[in-house]
Amino acid sequence: MGRLGGWLGRYAESLISLAVAFVVAILSLVDVLDVDAVNSSILLVLALLAAAVLRDRAHGETVERALAASRRHLDEVLTPLTPQVARLNGVGHTLELARVALDETLKIRVISGTEVTDALAEARADTREWMFKGGTGTYMRAVTLPSCVEAARRGRRELKMSVEIIDPTDRLVCERYARFRRDMSPGPDGTGQEWTFRRTRNEAYAMILAAAWYEQRFNLLDIDVRLSPVMTTFRWDLSSHCLIITQDDPGAASTLIRRGGRQYDSWRIELRKSLDQARRVPMELADQAPLSEEPRIGEARALLDCLAVPLPAGLPDAEVEDIIDRAIRARNPYA
């Protein structure tokens, strides 16, 4: 009832106008009212309607003034808060950057000693790809290549490998690399041999020969070999789920970068661009010069000629035998 009474109060003029107009219309139809009475009634209805319009307008102005006052009050309250909101937005942005940086940090770890060996073994276990960039690929031939091929063969899966080493046909880079290795660790390494120009050249040739030998024996292996005229003091081993950056000095700290962060992706792009700039060995031609289980000297010479990395003219057979031995029975320099 209270709600009905309020509604009647708000629309009283309109209701009275409607009632008067209805009554006058009925009475005029039955000739009870004359024309003057009807005209007077019309004026009354118009007056009531005008009063209703004026009241509505006055009510609207009151509402507008109230809304304006509310807006002013709200502005007075919010204006001091604007710098605080901006500061909170800045804090939120800083926290987001900190979160991203923390995620990146958690994916990067400094390792050394046996941790490096364990990390490399874990990386080889179930990888479908491997990218290597380094000197002559000695450890690559001795451990990484045979281990990855064996794991892929057991899993009956494809294996894609990319290898970038120094160019064995470039005497300057071979001498530069041998001198660097002697400066860093004088004397024999884990293989019992010192680093000389001859060993450096033969190790690099052996990497090419080993790549062809394994590819001919495992059809699911796709190996890309590139030769660089520039030596590097680091080694990069990138698998499907991590990157391990090591140095030729086994005592130096190494870096493990897990996949899923910007660092892994950035280094992957760097290695790919480095490969693109190095001289490509046409490994697809390796089948034209097949290698025996125990490659013969003539087979090794023919293969390297076919791959456009010929041995030096007049190179003794003993040197070719050394290259074959390093390719097929490579010794782990860090064992």
Side-chain angles (χ1 to χ4, degrees):
M1 292 297 293
R3 184 176 301 175
L4 178 61
W7 184 82
L8 292 174
R10 287 193 300 273
Y11 299 102
E13 294 90 342
S14 300
L15 292 173
I16 294 172
S17 299
L18 181 62
V20 170
F22 180 76
V23 171
V24 171
I26 296 299
L27 294 177
S28 64
L29 289 174
V30 297
D31 294 330
V32 174
L33 296 177
D34 56 14
V35 175
D36 291 337
V38 172
N39 291 336
S40 298
S41 300
I42 292 173
L43 292 175
L44 176 61
V45 171
L46 292 175
L48 290 171
L49 291 175
V53 170
L54 290 174
R55 192 182 71 162
D56 288 342
R57 183 170 295 176
H59 178 69
E61 291 176 352
T62 302
V63 171
E64 289 179 358
R65 286 194 296 272
L67 288 175
S70 298
R71 283 195 293 268
R72 287 194 299 272
H73 179 68
L74 187 60
D75 289 341
E76 292 174 357
V77 173
L78 293 179
T79 299
L81 294 178
T82 301
Q84 303 298 329
V85 173
R87 189 175 296 109
L88 287 175
N89 289 335
V91 171
H93 180 65
T94 302
L95 289 175
E96 178 62 20
L97 292 177
R99 184 191 65 79
V100 173
L102 180 60
D103 289 344
E104 289 290 332
T105 301
L106 293 175
K107 290 181 172 61
I108 302 175
R109 189 159 65 92
V110 176
I111 56 178
S112 60
T114 57
E115 290 180 310
V116 179
T117 304
D118 294 341
L120 287 168
E122 180 184 350
R124 293 190 301 265
D126 58 353
T127 188
R128 292 181 176 271
E129 69 169 331
W130 196 279
M131 296 177 68
F132 171 80
K133 178 181 178 180
T136 60
T138 307
Y139 185 85
M140 179 75 183
R141 290 192 318 279
V143 181
T144 304
L145 180 56
S147 297
C148 287
V149 168
E150 181 58 30
R153 181 178 281 114
R154 286 197 308 269
R156 297 183 179 181
R157 62 174 181 269
E158 294 182 341
L159 175 63
K160 183 176 179 60
M161 306 190 82
S162 300
V163 179
E164 181 182 343
I165 59 173
I166 60 175
D167 189 343
T169 65
D170 187 332
R171 185 179 183 88
L172 289 178
V173 71
C174 289
E175 290 178 341
R176 193 181 305 125
Y177 184 78
R179 185 166 57 251
F180 164 74
R181 293 300 301 268
R182 289 196 303 272
D183 291 342
M184 293 301 296
S185 53
D189 60 10
T191 65
Q193 298 177 329
E194 295 184 359
W195 280 95
T196 62
F197 161 74
R198 170 186 171 276
R199 178 189 174 186
T200 302
R201 179 199 62 196
N202 289 2
E203 294 276 12
Y205 270 121
M207 182 68 248
I208 302 170
L209 190 66
W213 190 84
Y214 278 99
E215 192 171 46
Q216 289 179 5
R217 278 152 184 77
F218 184 49
N219 291 332
L220 297 182
L221 171 63
D222 178 13
I223 188 165
D224 180 19
V225 180
R226 304 295 178 106
L227 306 178
S228 174
V230 180
M231 60 157 282
T232 176
T233 63
F234 287 89
R235 285 195 307 268
W236 290 264
D237 288 276
L238 185 142
S239 74
S240 300
H241 46 270
C242 72
L243 167 66
I244 303 169
I245 305 174
T246 56
Q247 299 182 56
D248 290 314
D249 180 6
S254 302
T255 305
L256 171 65
I257 303 175
R258 297 287 182 185
R259 183 173 185 172
R262 294 180 182 177
Q263 286 293 320
Y264 178 92
D265 294 336
S266 297
W267 276 116
R268 183 187 180 89
I269 294 172
E270 170 66 20
L271 292 175
R272 175 54 58 192
K273 292 305 177 183
S274 179
L275 282 166
D276 291 344
Q277 297 175 70
R279 180 162 72 98
R280 178 176 174 273
V281 177
M283 296 299 297
E284 67 275 7
L285 303 179
D287 288 339
Q288 297 181 12
L291 296 172
S292 303
E293 200 67 29
E294 287 288 335
R296 301 182 180 87
I297 294 175
E299 293 174 346
R301 290 184 184 273
L303 174 73
L304 295 172
D305 286 341
C306 187
L307 297 181
V309 280
L311 293 168
L315 188 71
D317 287 348
E319 293 296 304
V320 182
E321 288 179 350
D322 180 67
I323 292 172
I324 294 172
D325 186 62
R326 293 177 188 275
I328 308 305
R329 288 174 288 276
R331 290 179 291 277
N332 183 354
Y334 308 112

PDB file of all heavy atoms in Angstrom, residues 312-329:
ATOM      1  N   PRO A 312      95.504 -33.047 -47.430  1.00  0.00           N
ATOM      2  CA  PRO A 312      96.621 -32.356 -48.094  1.00  0.00           C
ATOM      3  C   PRO A 312      97.332 -33.279 -49.080  1.00  0.00           C
ATOM      4  O   PRO A 312      97.461 -34.490 -48.855  1.00  0.00           O
ATOM      5  CB  PRO A 312      97.530 -31.975 -46.924  1.00  0.00           C
ATOM      6  CG  PRO A 312      96.633 -31.938 -45.736  1.00  0.00           C
ATOM      7  CD  PRO A 312      95.616 -32.998 -45.961  1.00  0.00           C
ATOM      8  N   ALA A 313      97.771 -32.721 -50.155  1.00  0.00           N
ATOM      9  CA  ALA A 313      98.493 -33.506 -51.158  1.00  0.00           C
ATOM     10  C   ALA A 313      99.739 -34.124 -50.534  1.00  0.00           C
ATOM     11  O   ALA A 313     100.488 -33.465 -49.814  1.00  0.00           O
ATOM     12  CB  ALA A 313      98.868 -32.615 -52.344  1.00  0.00           C
ATOM     13  N   GLY A 314      99.938 -35.404 -50.815  1.00  0.00           N
ATOM     14  CA  GLY A 314     101.118 -36.092 -50.309  1.00  0.00           C
ATOM     15  C   GLY A 314     101.032 -36.494 -48.857  1.00  0.00           C
ATOM     16  O   GLY A 314     102.056 -36.886 -48.263  1.00  0.00           O
ATOM     17  N   LEU A 315      99.863 -36.416 -48.254  1.00  0.00           N
ATOM     18  CA  LEU A 315      99.744 -36.806 -46.843  1.00  0.00           C
ATOM     19  C   LEU A 315     100.012 -38.310 -46.707  1.00  0.00           C
ATOM     20  O   LEU A 315      99.383 -39.123 -47.385  1.00  0.00           O
ATOM     21  CB  LEU A 315      98.344 -36.485 -46.320  1.00  0.00           C
ATOM     22  CG  LEU A 315      98.146 -36.670 -44.810  1.00  0.00           C
ATOM     23  CD1 LEU A 315      98.894 -35.581 -44.032  1.00  0.00           C
ATOM     24  CD2 LEU A 315      96.659 -36.637 -44.450  1.00  0.00           C
ATOM     25  N   PRO A 316     100.959 -38.721 -45.855  1.00  0.00           N
ATOM     26  CA  PRO A 316     101.306 -40.143 -45.722  1.00  0.00           C
ATOM     27  C   PRO A 316     100.112 -40.981 -45.257  1.00  0.00           C
ATOM     28  O   PRO A 316      99.212 -40.488 -44.568  1.00  0.00           O
ATOM     29  CB  PRO A 316     102.429 -40.135 -44.676  1.00  0.00           C
ATOM     30  CG  PRO A 316     102.962 -38.747 -44.682  1.00  0.00           C
ATOM     31  CD  PRO A 316     101.802 -37.855 -45.005  1.00  0.00           C
ATOM     32  N   ASP A 317     100.137 -42.253 -45.618  1.00  0.00           N
ATOM     33  CA  ASP A 317      99.067 -43.164 -45.203  1.00  0.00           C
ATOM     34  C   ASP A 317      98.973 -43.266 -43.682  1.00  0.00           C
ATOM     35  O   ASP A 317      97.887 -43.491 -43.126  1.00  0.00           O
ATOM     36  CB  ASP A 317      99.299 -44.551 -45.789  1.00  0.00           C
ATOM     37  CG  ASP A 317      99.021 -44.590 -47.285  1.00  0.00           C
ATOM     38  OD1 ASP A 317      98.428 -43.606 -47.797  1.00  0.00           O
ATOM     39  OD2 ASP A 317      99.378 -45.598 -47.935  1.00  0.00           O
ATOM     40  N   ALA A 318     100.129 -43.122 -43.010  1.00  0.00           N
ATOM     41  CA  ALA A 318     100.111 -43.202 -41.544  1.00  0.00           C
ATOM     42  C   ALA A 318      99.226 -42.105 -40.938  1.00  0.00           C
ATOM     43  O   ALA A 318      98.543 -42.321 -39.921  1.00  0.00           O
ATOM     44  CB  ALA A 318     101.539 -43.094 -41.003  1.00  0.00           C
ATOM     45  N   GLU A 319      99.235 -40.930 -41.565  1.00  0.00           N
ATOM     46  CA  GLU A 319      98.390 -39.839 -41.075  1.00  0.00           C
ATOM     47  C   GLU A 319      96.905 -40.155 -41.306  1.00  0.00           C
ATOM     48  O   GLU A 319      96.049 -39.853 -40.467  1.00  0.00           O
ATOM     49  CB  GLU A 319      98.761 -38.527 -41.775  1.00  0.00           C
ATOM     50  CG  GLU A 319     100.145 -38.004 -41.426  1.00  0.00           C
ATOM     51  CD  GLU A 319     100.251 -37.634 -39.953  1.00  0.00           C
ATOM     52  OE1 GLU A 319      99.428 -36.810 -39.486  1.00  0.00           O
ATOM     53  OE2 GLU A 319     101.127 -38.184 -39.270  1.00  0.00           O
ATOM     54  N   VAL A 320      96.621 -40.772 -42.452  1.00  0.00           N
ATOM     55  CA  VAL A 320      95.229 -41.143 -42.741  1.00  0.00           C
ATOM     56  C   VAL A 320      94.761 -42.205 -41.744  1.00  0.00           C
ATOM     57  O   VAL A 320      93.623 -42.164 -41.258  1.00  0.00           O
ATOM     58  CB  VAL A 320      95.085 -41.652 -44.182  1.00  0.00           C
ATOM     59  CG1 VAL A 320      93.631 -41.993 -44.489  1.00  0.00           C
ATOM     60  CG2 VAL A 320      95.606 -40.626 -45.174  1.00  0.00           C
ATOM     61  N   GLU A 321      95.641 -43.148 -41.415  1.00  0.00           N
ATOM     62  CA  GLU A 321      95.296 -44.156 -40.417  1.00  0.00           C
ATOM     63  C   GLU A 321      95.030 -43.508 -39.061  1.00  0.00           C
ATOM     64  O   GLU A 321      94.129 -43.928 -38.323  1.00  0.00           O
ATOM     65  CB  GLU A 321      96.426 -45.183 -40.298  1.00  0.00           C
ATOM     66  CG  GLU A 321      96.538 -46.113 -41.497  1.00  0.00           C
ATOM     67  CD  GLU A 321      97.693 -47.096 -41.360  1.00  0.00           C
ATOM     68  OE1 GLU A 321      98.495 -46.917 -40.418  1.00  0.00           O
ATOM     69  OE2 GLU A 321      97.777 -48.035 -42.169  1.00  0.00           O
ATOM     70  N   ASP A 322      95.784 -42.471 -38.737  1.00  0.00           N
ATOM     71  CA  ASP A 322      95.575 -41.751 -37.475  1.00  0.00           C
ATOM     72  C   ASP A 322      94.203 -41.074 -37.468  1.00  0.00           C
ATOM     73  O   ASP A 322      93.496 -41.084 -36.448  1.00  0.00           O
ATOM     74  CB  ASP A 322      96.685 -40.712 -37.281  1.00  0.00           C
ATOM     75  CG  ASP A 322      96.530 -39.934 -35.987  1.00  0.00           C
ATOM     76  OD1 ASP A 322      96.684 -40.549 -34.909  1.00  0.00           O
ATOM     77  OD2 ASP A 322      96.215 -38.717 -36.053  1.00  0.00           O
ATOM     78  N   ILE A 323      93.840 -40.496 -38.592  1.00  0.00           N
ATOM     79  CA  ILE A 323      92.525 -39.839 -38.700  1.00  0.00           C
ATOM     80  C   ILE A 323      91.408 -40.867 -38.530  1.00  0.00           C
ATOM     81  O   ILE A 323      90.421 -40.636 -37.812  1.00  0.00           O
ATOM     82  CB  ILE A 323      92.397 -39.108 -40.057  1.00  0.00           C
ATOM     83  CG1 ILE A 323      93.359 -37.929 -40.104  1.00  0.00           C
ATOM     84  CG2 ILE A 323      90.964 -38.653 -40.295  1.00  0.00           C
ATOM     85  CD1 ILE A 323      93.454 -37.255 -41.470  1.00  0.00           C
ATOM     86  N   ILE A 324      91.551 -42.028 -39.172  1.00  0.00           N
ATOM     87  CA  ILE A 324      90.537 -43.086 -39.060  1.00  0.00           C
ATOM     88  C   ILE A 324      90.417 -43.563 -37.622  1.00  0.00           C
ATOM     89  O   ILE A 324      89.314 -43.747 -37.093  1.00  0.00           O
ATOM     90  CB  ILE A 324      90.891 -44.265 -39.996  1.00  0.00           C
ATOM     91  CG1 ILE A 324      90.803 -43.826 -41.453  1.00  0.00           C
ATOM     92  CG2 ILE A 324      89.969 -45.454 -39.727  1.00  0.00           C
ATOM     93  CD1 ILE A 324      91.331 -44.868 -42.439  1.00  0.00           C
ATOM     94  N   ASP A 325      91.535 -43.736 -36.965  1.00  0.00           N
ATOM     95  CA  ASP A 325      91.525 -44.193 -35.574  1.00  0.00           C
ATOM     96  C   ASP A 325      90.834 -43.180 -34.664  1.00  0.00           C
ATOM     97  O   ASP A 325      90.058 -43.543 -33.772  1.00  0.00           O
ATOM     98  CB  ASP A 325      92.959 -44.434 -35.103  1.00  0.00           C
ATOM     99  CG  ASP A 325      93.005 -45.052 -33.720  1.00  0.00           C
ATOM    100  OD1 ASP A 325      92.493 -46.173 -33.555  1.00  0.00           O
ATOM    101  OD2 ASP A 325      93.531 -44.393 -32.797  1.00  0.00           O
ATOM    102  N   ARG A 326      91.104 -41.903 -34.882  1.00  0.00           N
ATOM    103  CA  ARG A 326      90.465 -40.855 -34.069  1.00  0.00           C
ATOM    104  C   ARG A 326      88.959 -40.780 -34.354  1.00  0.00           C
ATOM    105  O   ARG A 326      88.179 -40.412 -33.473  1.00  0.00           O
ATOM    106  CB  ARG A 326      91.112 -39.495 -34.354  1.00  0.00           C
ATOM    107  CG  ARG A 326      92.566 -39.385 -33.900  1.00  0.00           C
ATOM    108  CD  ARG A 326      93.160 -38.031 -34.273  1.00  0.00           C
ATOM    109  NE  ARG A 326      94.599 -37.991 -34.011  1.00  0.00           N
ATOM    110  CZ  ARG A 326      95.129 -37.701 -32.822  1.00  0.00           C
ATOM    111  NH1 ARG A 326      94.339 -37.428 -31.803  1.00  0.00           N
ATOM    112  NH2 ARG A 326      96.444 -37.689 -32.660  1.00  0.00           N
ATOM    113  N   ALA A 327      88.558 -41.124 -35.574  1.00  0.00           N
ATOM    114  CA  ALA A 327      87.141 -41.060 -35.930  1.00  0.00           C
ATOM    115  C   ALA A 327      86.347 -42.219 -35.332  1.00  0.00           C
ATOM    116  O   ALA A 327      85.248 -42.031 -34.800  1.00  0.00           O
ATOM    117  CB  ALA A 327      86.989 -41.053 -37.451  1.00  0.00           C
ATOM    118  N   ILE A 328      86.898 -43.420 -35.418  1.00  0.00           N
ATOM    119  CA  ILE A 328      86.157 -44.624 -35.015  1.00  0.00           C
ATOM    120  C   ILE A 328      86.407 -44.995 -33.562  1.00  0.00           C
ATOM    121  O   ILE A 328      85.513 -45.511 -32.883  1.00  0.00           O
ATOM    122  CB  ILE A 328      86.529 -45.810 -35.935  1.00  0.00           C
ATOM    123  CG1 ILE A 328      86.380 -45.411 -37.404  1.00  0.00           C
ATOM    124  CG2 ILE A 328      85.652 -47.019 -35.631  1.00  0.00           C
ATOM    125  CD1 ILE A 328      85.007 -44.880 -37.753  1.00  0.00           C
ATOM    126  N   ARG A 329      87.597 -44.736 -33.058  1.00  0.00           N
ATOM    127  CA  ARG A 329      87.938 -45.101 -31.683  1.00  0.00           C
ATOM    128  C   ARG A 329      88.424 -43.869 -30.927  1.00  0.00           C
ATOM    129  O   ARG A 329      89.511 -43.872 -30.325  1.00  0.00           O
ATOM    130  CB  ARG A 329      89.007 -46.200 -31.679  1.00  0.00           C
ATOM    131  CG  ARG A 329      88.498 -47.562 -32.125  1.00  0.00           C
ATOM    132  CD  ARG A 329      89.621 -48.577 -32.246  1.00  0.00           C
ATOM    133  NE  ARG A 329      90.449 -48.276 -33.408  1.00  0.00           N
ATOM    134  CZ  ARG A 329      90.156 -48.674 -34.657  1.00  0.00           C
ATOM    135  NH1 ARG A 329      89.066 -49.382 -34.879  1.00  0.00           N
ATOM    136  NH2 ARG A 329      90.953 -48.360 -35.670  1.00  0.00           N
TER     137      ARG A 329
END
